[in-house]
Amino acid sequence: MTTPLRVGAVNYLNTKPLIERLTGFAPNIDLTLDLPSRLADRLAAGELDVGLIPVVEFFRGDSYSFVPNVAIGSRGPVLSVTLFSKVPWEQIRSVSLDEGSRTSAALTRIVLQKRYGVRPTFEQLPIDAGADDLDTDAVLLIGDRAMRACLPGYRFAYDLGEEWTGWTGLPMVFAVWAVRGGVELGAAETAFHRAKEYGLANAGLIAQREAPALDLDPGYCRRYMTNIIRYDLGPTELAGLRKYRELAEELGLVAPAPRHPHAGRAQ
């Protein structure tokens, strides 16, 4: 009897192309869906073998590797990671952070401090809490919630993918398939690539299926998956990962990279 491979993913629209038919391509995969922050905690606790986790948690992990050439990222606007603000960047003094976010929360800190020289206070916004009437100057929303949000009380809507690429000239990678140390994927590794290829080839069908529950236009959902989100993890994306880690290290958000990193790690 084949040992189940415990895999966790996020239940956001941008994840759908990566998990479409994943369990069909590898029947031994036991797939569960959760928030990205919770997936990271479960992977660290040994409750998952593979998790589509925030990259900041990949860098914080112990001996993680990743499935090559599969990620969730952007090169320019990402649409689903937005900092809504009542004031311009330089005047932000307090920020509410979406409970589901860790990579984007760290990215917010990086951009505020390293690009704009601002050190605001931060507080957490529960995943089920409204964001329209907060006392903080700004609020970070991610995922499907960010795509639906309007927040008319906030004058500015800063797209953090656009901010990052405009600043660094590099893609922003938000999540990777992290593999816990000691876990051997074997033939299952192919399933992650096949699911990605199948999902992107059927993005129109996925958009048509998912849009009603999200209260979004199917055409908008399709363009988001095919024209906005990038699912590759090539040389330029790896360069973006390295830059992100460098800046996160400078702010003490992740520990310094080991001098002799393991093969396959994005150090």
Side-chain angles (χ1 to χ4, degrees):
M1 185 174 182
T2 305
T3 303
L5 185 69
R6 300 168 301 171
V7 176
V10 186
N11 194 24
Y12 291 156
L13 179 63
N14 58 23
T15 309
K16 300 300 182 180
L18 298 185
I19 61 175
E20 190 78 3
R21 290 198 61 187
L22 178 61
T23 56
F25 293 125
N28 67 312
I29 287 179
D30 179 12
L31 180 65
T32 60
L33 302 177
D34 209 335
L35 292 176
S37 55
R38 294 175 188 164
L39 291 174
D41 292 341
R42 292 177 62 193
L43 187 66
E47 298 172 7
L48 293 173
D49 301 310
V50 182
L52 190 62
I53 66 170
V55 294
V56 72
E57 293 298 331
F58 174 81
F59 290 131
R60 291 169 178 165
D62 182 19
S63 300
Y64 289 169
S65 60
F66 58 78
V67 176
N69 201 32
V70 185
I72 293 178
S74 65
R75 190 182 184 104
V78 66
L79 304 186
S80 51
V81 181
T82 304
L83 184 72
F84 293 91
S85 182
K86 300 170 185 175
V87 296
W89 280 104
E90 295 85 351
Q91 298 176 26
I92 295 174
R93 297 294 178 265
S94 57
V95 181
S96 296
L97 299 171
D98 194 315
E99 179 188 18
S101 165
R102 288 188 182 167
T103 289
S104 300
L107 178 59
T108 301
R109 294 172 185 262
I110 289 169
V111 173
L112 279 165
Q113 188 167 333
K114 304 296 286 187
R115 187 175 193 189
Y116 293 103
V118 178
R119 295 171 178 263
T121 60
F122 295 94
E123 60 185 60
Q124 193 172 80
L125 176 70
I127 196 68
D128 57 351
D132 295 88
D133 299 311
L134 299 173
D135 293 330
T136 52
D137 294 329
V139 56
L140 172 71
L141 297 182
I142 70 164
D144 301 341
R145 175 153 77 157
M147 294 172 68
R148 293 193 303 267
C150 179
L151 304 193
Y154 293 80
R155 179 180 175 185
F156 302 95
Y158 296 117
D159 186 301
L160 292 193
E162 185 174 25
E163 280 288 328
W164 171 263
T165 300
W167 177 33
T168 66
L170 295 167
M172 179 62 204
V173 178
F174 291 95
V176 294
W177 280 120
V179 184
R180 190 164 48 82
V183 172
E184 297 293 334
L185 295 182
E189 181 174 317
T190 303
F192 292 96
H193 295 282
R194 292 183 67 189
K196 169 187 162 182
E197 293 168 4
Y198 181 88
L200 290 176
N202 290 276
L205 293 174
I206 295 172
Q208 188 176 49
R209 181 188 71 210
E210 299 293 332
L214 297 174
D215 196 24
L216 293 171
D217 177 73
Y220 173 78
C221 292
R222 177 174 185 156
R223 290 189 295 274
Y224 171 71
M225 288 185 287
T226 58
N227 294 57
I228 302 297
I229 297 299
R230 294 179 176 239
Y231 293 99
D232 295 332
L233 191 58
T236 56
E237 287 79 20
L238 290 173
L241 268 183
R242 288 191 292 270
K243 183 64 175 178
Y244 177 90
R245 172 155 202 166
E246 172 191 324
L247 294 169
E249 282 184 15
E250 291 177 6
L251 295 185
L253 300 175
V254 299
R259 290 187 178 184
H260 302 288
H262 298 284
R265 297 184 71 185
Q267 310 292 0

